[in-house]
Amino acid sequence: MPRGEDDLMKIIAVAFLMIIGLGCQDDQLVAITDGKVYSQLNVRYDKNSNKTAATAAFWKESQSGQRLIFNGNAKILFEDVAMDYRAGDYTYIKELDNFHSPAVFKITDVNNKVFTNTATLNTIDFPLSQKLDTIDSSKPLTIAWAGIPLEKLEIVTLRIGTVAAAQDTTGKTSVSLLSSHFTQLGSIKNTVVTITLERSKSPGLTNDLGGGGMMTSQYVATTKSVFLK
């Protein structure tokens, strides 16, 4: 073989070996939990659709850090069902039928570290004893919800249209829309509006991925249509 061709073959062989080497490097199992990972886990049950939706997102060290995703061989499960990766916002998602509580996230990284976090979704509903087909905006409205009293770190939100009132005092069993709230709804008086009731809680993770995080659980009661007079 002429020397020129021999040199060319050596160059091609070296380039081929470099490509193989890069490919092997890309295939290595990189565990993001070898470092500190901040996690945000969310679970929301909507009684209107009878579905429980879960999301999970991860950042390097803190929520202001770089967004992280797991190696494809890791397992990110919600209620023992694999979550789907959504590339648009680097988030893992899963929607299941029916009410799920306690709701369990289980993550197994490729370094065999396992992280399990559980959220209890406390139910809430409008009281059957309170007639809510018509609401008088000239006086405050208090809803004594059907469900247990507020626990620590919980909040109940009552909304009519774009206006919301919140209750976050541990042990309370009701939430009120005041006259000041109804003043903001003057433009939709004498129309049919929607009223919603939501209960949520956002404690820190009990089994975080080294960098802390939060787990938010929400329960949305059946939305009602009411006449606002």
Side-chain angles (χ1 to χ4, degrees):
M1 179 182 295
R3 183 172 180 80
E5 292 184 9
D6 184 51
D7 290 342
L8 178 60
M9 292 300 294
K10 288 180 180 179
I11 293 172
I12 293 173
V14 170
F16 180 69
L17 290 173
M18 289 176 65
I19 292 171
I20 292 177
L22 288 172
C24 291
Q25 187 178 32
D26 288 343
D27 291 338
Q28 289 176 356
L29 299 181
V30 177
I32 67 171
T33 55
D34 282 343
K36 293 183 178 180
V37 177
Y38 179 91
S39 315
Q40 177 64 60
L41 308 178
N42 299 297
V43 56
R44 176 184 174 92
Y45 173 72
D46 190 331
K47 196 171 182 181
N48 297 280
S49 61
N50 192 28
K51 292 184 182 294
T52 300
T55 63
F58 308 94
W59 292 260
K60 184 177 181 180
E61 297 185 353
S62 70
Q63 200 168 14
S64 60
Q66 176 187 356
R67 290 296 293 267
L68 297 174
I69 61 173
F70 282 84
N71 182 283
N73 292 293
K75 295 180 180 178
I76 299 90
L77 307 179
F78 175 68
E79 292 293 272
D80 290 326
V81 179
M83 299 185 74
D84 303 312
Y85 174 60
R86 186 168 60 191
D89 60 357
Y90 308 99
T91 299
Y92 295 86
I93 61 172
K94 180 55 63 178
E95 185 177 79
L96 301 176
D97 291 332
N98 304 316
F99 176 56
H100 292 266
S101 180
V104 181
F105 290 83
K106 183 178 180 180
I107 298 167
T108 305
D109 206 350
V110 293
N111 56 7
N112 294 320
K113 291 182 180 179
V114 180
F115 306 87
T116 302
N117 283 278
T118 302
T120 300
L121 285 74
N122 289 327
T123 63
I124 191 168
D125 281 297
F126 289 100
L128 293 176
S129 58
Q130 187 172 10
K131 191 176 181 180
L132 288 171
D133 54 354
T134 300
I135 292 176
D136 187 351
S137 63
S138 67
K139 54 187 178 181
L141 170 70
T142 296
I143 301 292
W145 62 75
I148 65 173
L150 276 183
E151 295 182 338
K152 186 178 180 180
L153 300 178
E154 278 192 316
I155 184 170
V156 165
T157 305
L158 175 66
R159 293 187 179 88
I160 292 184
T162 59
V163 173
Q167 175 62 268
D168 62 359
T169 303
T170 302
K172 291 294 186 179
T173 58
S174 65
V175 59
S176 299
L177 280 164
L178 306 178
S179 299
S180 57
H181 292 114
F182 285 118
T183 298
Q184 302 173 54
L185 296 173
S187 62
I188 58 173
K189 283 181 61 174
N190 299 314
T191 66
V192 175
V193 297
T194 58
I195 180 170
T196 61
L197 193 61
E198 178 184 293
R199 185 175 194 144
S200 62
K201 187 175 185 177
S202 297
L205 298 180
T206 56
N207 187 203
D208 69 69
L209 283 66
M214 300 290 291
M215 186 169 186
T216 297
S217 58
Q218 298 173 304
Y219 185 103
V220 181
T222 303
T223 299
K224 292 184 174 293
S225 296
V226 300
F227 182 79
L228 182 66
K229 69 176 185 178

